[in-house]
Amino acid sequence: MVKANLNFAKLPQRYLFLDIAKRVAAFSEKHPEADIIRMGIGDVTRPLAPAVIDAMHKAVDECADKSTFHGYGPERGYQWLREAIVKGDYAPLGVELTAEDIFINDGAKSDTGNIGDILSSDNLVGITDPVYPVYVDTNLMRGFNIKYIICNEENGFTGDIPTEKLDIVYLCYPNNPTGAVITRDKLKKWVDYALENGSLIMYDSAYEAFIRDPLIPHSIYEIEGAKKCAIEFRSFSKTAGFTGVRCGYTVVPRELEVSDGNGGKIALNGMWERRQSCKFNGASYISQCGALAVYTPEGQKQIRSTIDYYLETARIIRQSLNEAGLKALGGENAPYIWAQTPGGISSWEFFDRLLGEAGVVVTPGSGFGPAGEGWFRITSFADRQRTIEAMERIKKIL
Ligand code: MLT
């Protein structure tokens, strides 16, 4: 008989956000009258920017004509989009990259999950706790061993630099789920650790567009030496409302090398191209045209105004939860607010209470790892009026 990949036995039974969706569906079935406000999964609700919509309409029209039709795109993504990323996202930070360092994808989730394909499962992986569950689940699927790096209020949810040698470290800032940001000094400590130990940092900066504090780094490559030790993941999902369109990119600097196992070195850029050209056929031409429009002056203005809207919603959430007597953090340079459950009750117990008594869906902190126990995550992506109503309902039951 064929054997299943037994690593799957190490995973939680269901992916966190599917687990929540199933629980909410079961509740709705039992209480069809319930008016549920969803603030669990970080899915955007504001429409795409007009500049993006125009560009995608135009791309569809091109594909409707034989002379301008587009089939398979280049394996790294269209050159014009990769150049726009280098110019629009990195040059203003003083970071020198070229289009050859960039790989377009269908969103950061795929690449953060797939990147392990090019690394040996002998590597010891360090993952922060609490954490976006994709890093843990995908590393478990491949049989990697994981060490958890505890993130808490004392270390500003940025983890203490390990005393042992970890081969791969996943970092995400602005952070999902805690909404915390990392200072330049602390990020430098992580980069120095990686350079000293020959480690590789997987830096997920999918939420960088929410940073408003000028002192907070947007990219790990703002730190000297990071191009030799880090891969960075970016996404148009939260930046420009592409959760349904699908487009993002990964930066694998050409100077980034790892051991070839024979005393030599091998560049990850070429390996990732080999992997992608074999297993991935690119984000659609239409999505990439939409993404390009993000870098136009109108596109930039429009996406900034949408993110400002979410940040103001985040401020309202934080303030309301504080008024309700709960400790609430994050949400200043990130779309997530991380709050403590009342009276020390468990995250899932509070999740059930909020759903049952207030009809509000949040994400239980323990779903992001044991260190999230006693906390819950709430997103600022819901409609403003619905958010205000959710806050009123929460205040009433506390
Ligand atoms: C979340 O809620 O954590 C995110 O929406 C998940 C994702 O971006 O894949």
Side-chain angles (χ1 to χ4, degrees):
M1 195 96 132
V2 174
K3 254 201 199 153
N5 176 351
L6 299 181
N7 290 322
F8 275 62
K10 300 177 202 151
L11 300 175
Q13 207 187 354
R14 277 200 298 240
Y15 181 58
L16 174 64
F17 294 105
L18 180 62
D19 192 11
I20 292 170
K22 294 220 168 182
R23 286 173 192 240
V24 175
F27 178 84
S28 283
E29 206 174 305
K30 253 192 171 159
H31 306 276
E33 73 298 343
D35 171 27
I36 295 173
I37 305 177
R38 291 162 204 273
M39 305 176 82
I41 191 158
D43 196 3
V44 296
T45 56
R46 307 286 294 167
L48 292 163
V52 169
I53 295 168
D54 287 350
M56 292 206 294
H57 278 160
K58 198 168 146 266
V60 171
D61 288 342
E62 280 178 40
C63 289
D65 190 303
K66 195 171 158 220
S67 64
T68 46
F69 173 78
H70 281 81
Y72 292 129
E75 61 289 339
R76 288 172 181 244
Y78 286 97
Q79 178 86 9
W80 35 260
L81 179 55
R82 291 183 288 121
E83 278 171 5
I85 288 167
V86 166
K87 198 162 155 242
D89 286 344
Y90 291 99
L93 303 174
V95 172
E96 275 180 39
L97 290 172
T98 71
E100 279 58 56
D101 299 314
I102 313 284
F103 293 83
I104 307 298
N105 59 32
D106 62 355
K109 181 176 181 176
S110 312
D111 281 10
T112 50
N114 290 329
I115 196 77
D117 271 11
I118 59 171
L119 297 162
S120 162
S121 55
D122 293 346
N123 289 302
L124 181 59
V125 180
I127 299 187
T128 52
D129 173 12
V131 77
Y132 177 44
V134 169
Y135 320 142
V136 175
D137 290 3
T138 55
N139 276 288
L140 288 177
M141 282 176 193
R142 285 205 180 78
F144 280 83
N145 284 318
I146 300 177
K147 275 271 181 184
Y148 291 95
I149 302 161
I150 301 301
C151 290
N152 51 29
E153 270 190 281
E154 285 72 54
N155 58 38
F157 298 100
T158 59
D160 294 331
I161 304 298
T163 46
E164 66 189 309
K165 183 178 169 325
L166 301 172
D167 300 305
I168 301 168
V169 175
Y170 284 74
L171 298 177
C172 169
Y173 294 100
N175 187 248
N176 180 11
T178 63
V181 284
I182 192 161
T183 62
R184 208 171 288 271
D185 283 355
K186 183 64 183 273
L187 190 54
K188 181 174 175 349
K189 288 199 171 96
W190 275 112
V191 168
D192 290 347
Y193 167 86
L195 292 171
E196 272 158 33
N197 290 282
S199 315
L200 175 64
I201 297 178
M202 304 290 188
Y203 196 71
D204 184 348
S205 63
Y207 301 96
E208 65 78 31
F210 287 76
I211 296 173
R212 289 292 179 265
D213 181 340
L215 296 178
I216 301 298
H218 288 248
S219 163
I220 193 164
Y221 303 122
E222 290 178 57
I223 309 298
E224 209 188 319
K227 279 195 253 170
K228 290 199 178 325
C229 66
I231 291 177
E232 181 162 290
F233 304 93
R234 292 264 186 119
S235 169
F236 295 100
S237 285
K238 316 292 157 70
T239 304
F242 274 48
T243 53
V245 175
R246 309 308 305 156
C247 196
Y249 65 89
T250 295
V251 185
V252 187
R254 277 161 310 155
E255 57 214 86
L256 178 59
E257 293 179 324
V258 296
S259 159
D260 69 358
N262 276 321
K265 286 184 173 177
I266 182 161
L268 288 181
N269 184 291
M271 284 187 77
W272 187 239
E273 179 183 76
R274 184 70 186 84
R275 190 269 174 209
Q276 289 296 78
S277 52
C278 166
K279 288 200 187 180
F280 181 60
N281 253 338
S284 78
Y285 173 69
I286 298 158
S287 304
Q288 293 191 60
C289 287
L292 182 67
V294 165
Y295 296 98
T296 60
E298 319 81 74
Q300 285 291 298
K301 218 165 102 196
Q302 292 158 0
I303 63 164
R304 191 173 169 99
S305 125
T306 300
I307 292 174
D308 282 345
Y309 175 92
Y310 292 136
L311 285 170
E312 172 58 11
T313 309
R315 191 196 60 74
I316 294 169
I317 296 172
R318 218 179 36 250
Q319 185 179 323
S320 308
L321 294 178
N322 285 332
E323 282 165 11
L326 300 183
K327 178 181 274 187
L329 310 169
E332 279 169 297
N333 295 284
Y336 298 121
I337 290 95
W338 186 243
Q340 232 163 11
T341 61
I345 67 170
S346 81
S347 301
W348 278 109
E349 205 182 321
F350 192 56
F351 169 88
D352 286 336
R353 216 180 129 195
L354 279 181
L355 180 59
E357 295 174 27
V360 174
V361 181
V362 298
T363 312
S366 57
F368 297 103
E373 184 55 277
W375 295 82
F376 65 98
R377 189 195 77 173
I378 193 158
T379 84
S380 60
F381 291 120
D383 174 77
R384 177 75 52 75
Q385 279 317 311
R386 296 287 280 165
T387 301
I388 291 171
E389 183 175 340
M391 294 302 110
E392 278 161 12
R393 292 191 200 171
I394 292 176
K395 279 183 190 165
K396 264 197 207 130
I397 66 155
L398 286 178

